[in-house]
Amino acid sequence: MSGTSCVRRGELVSAGPTFPLNPKQPKRGRIIQKLWRPLQHFASRDAKGLVSLHAAVPIVNLASRASALPLDESTAEDARIVGVQLPVETWWEIIDCLQQDWSALLVCTIVCQAWHVRAQAHLPKGNGHAVGLLSRQDVILLSQCSRARALHTRAVHVYGDRHTGSLAHLGTFAAMLSGKLHRLEELQILDCTWKTAALKETILLRRLSEFTSIRTLRLQNVTLPSATTLANLLRALPDLRSLKCASVSTTKKQYGDAAILDALLRPLMDLQRLDLDCPDGDDIIHLFASTTLAQYARTAVIAVYTRPDRKGTQTTNDERLIHRLTSISQLSITFHDTGRSPESIRSFLTQALQHCAARLETLVVKVTRHADPEMELPTLCCIPSAVTGHTRSSTVSVTLGPRTQSEEKHSIEEVVRVRFTDSHTTALVRFSIPSWVSRAPGFREDPWIEQLKDCATEGHAES
């Protein structure tokens, strides 16, 4: 298409498909609202009132007279548009602007063959393509699409209602799409409140169990009725291999009997990866610490927070969870407590290495900035000391962390990465001084490096 070919305002272009855009037609009226913004985005006109086809400005025929549509939103709402004719390449550019709006793309696929091919290219079809479901209407659209053609969607993200956080449409999804998404491997539930009455939990879980291809489950910013609800959800997905819980909490804190919980979750799940970061979810951690859920996990990412004390307990649920990681090879621990003591970190790492060192291949430790700058050095020094205390020999290197790290008060940085070799008797320890330390006024690199290496040596001497 030439970039110089022009027509005067009011003329109709005969090339390309015709898409009647009548606001009074409800089905087409919804899609035109999505198309007008891209149309305006491509607008271009010169001083003589000529419109360039290459710029993809809509040439329209109004009911009253043939004239160009002014480029503002009020016209799109008020004018009664009878038809729009544009070159097919122009429509393709407009469809390209809808890449993130899969519901609009589904409508585009049924307009004509030219639109179908272009829209199909942006619809979920493999790894890296996820369908987002924000409402019951989105679920219905996806169900209609599944009846028209086989869906190869590999990931579905279910979001809570924007206003209420309700997750009622998850039940609709399970009922309408069970048995239709044969390649679905990942399910994410995000930003919502799980209400048992609205979801009819028994029916929901029975339907979810029919999605036998799901291997990854991610819960983020989700409020559950109790930890038992999570146990029931996991039981409905016995072929799960990876689980991530981020900011998952419960409205009712329940610490169920370990034997009952364990029986509830049998047969054993073969979870290969476990990622837990729940600041207000001590009962969620208790679920994994009290059952065999984490028994086969080879990779674990654990976030450690200050948990409320529970009567009659000598160890925290985070520590008990570490004892459950009997197959672990890759372990990452993040300490989020800004007021942490060196003794608490050393104790936690010591227990972790006592139970996992024989199987560990890689250990990563991350921390947040300490609330008291004077405690930063002794807190960091206890980490290499705890690590080297569980190996016969180790090679320790100390470097400065990236200077470009975030300036946020609660930023997180990796401080230690350990690789175990020679049947776990030798360790390669790389310590990174956090950026908030190296950027502090008066920081001197050599004394810090010397102190950290001395602490590592002390760890060997104590062992």
Side-chain angles (χ1 to χ4, degrees), residues 69-217:
L69 184 67
L71 299 175
D72 59 84
E73 289 189 65
S74 62
T75 305
E77 295 175 357
D78 299 334
R80 181 175 178 273
I81 305 169
V82 175
V84 173
Q85 292 182 340
L86 288 175
V88 66
E89 293 85 355
T90 300
W91 286 117
W92 284 350
E93 291 188 54
I94 296 168
I95 291 172
D96 290 343
C97 294
L98 302 174
Q99 292 184 36
Q100 306 303 319
D101 192 341
W102 64 270
S103 58
L105 291 171
L106 287 176
V107 178
C108 291
T109 60
I110 61 175
V111 173
C112 65
Q113 181 63 27
W115 282 37
H116 175 86
V117 174
R118 195 69 170 191
Q120 186 74 16
H122 300 305
L123 283 170
K125 58 183 179 297
N127 288 322
H129 295 75
V131 172
L133 304 175
L134 286 81
S135 65
R136 186 174 183 272
Q137 183 60 32
D138 287 344
V139 177
I140 293 174
L141 278 171
L142 184 61
S143 177
Q144 292 173 346
C145 184
S146 70
R147 291 197 294 269
R149 59 191 174 90
L151 293 179
H152 302 306
T153 303
R154 295 184 182 273
V156 169
H157 299 176
V158 183
Y159 296 85
D161 183 87
R162 290 190 180 95
H163 304 291
T164 65
S166 172
L167 197 61
H169 52 288
L170 175 62
T172 307
F173 165 76
M176 299 185 73
L177 275 303
S178 61
K180 297 179 181 178
L181 301 179
H182 301 289
R183 299 190 182 183
L184 181 62
E185 297 177 354
E186 176 183 320
L187 175 63
Q188 295 195 21
I189 303 175
L190 310 111
D191 306 327
C192 61
T193 300
W194 182 299
K195 296 181 179 178
T196 304
L199 283 172
K200 298 179 181 177
E201 190 171 301
T202 303
I203 300 175
L204 167 67
L205 297 176
R206 186 170 67 247
R207 290 292 189 180
L208 282 178
S209 65
E210 297 176 14
F211 291 85
T212 56
S213 60
I214 293 180
R215 298 293 181 267
T216 300
L217 174 65

Side-chain angles (χ1 to χ4, degrees), residues 53-68:
L53 291 182
H54 183 68
V57 176
I59 310 300
V60 300
N61 181 19
L62 300 181
S64 57
R65 66 185 187 283
S67 62

Side-chain angles (χ1 to χ4, degrees), residues 261-309:
L261 288 172
D262 209 27
L264 181 67
L265 291 164
R266 289 184 181 275
L268 294 177
M269 297 181 63
D270 190 13
L271 277 178
Q272 297 293 309
R273 179 182 176 90
L274 182 62
D275 193 330
L276 298 176
D277 186 352
C278 304
D280 191 33
D282 186 56
D283 52 338
I284 299 294
I285 304 300
H286 173 78
L287 171 65
F288 292 91
S290 303
T291 65
T292 54
L293 275 170
Q295 179 173 337
Y296 296 109
R298 293 184 54 80
T299 301
V301 181
I302 309 297
V304 181
Y305 294 86
T306 300
R307 307 289 184 184
D309 293 332

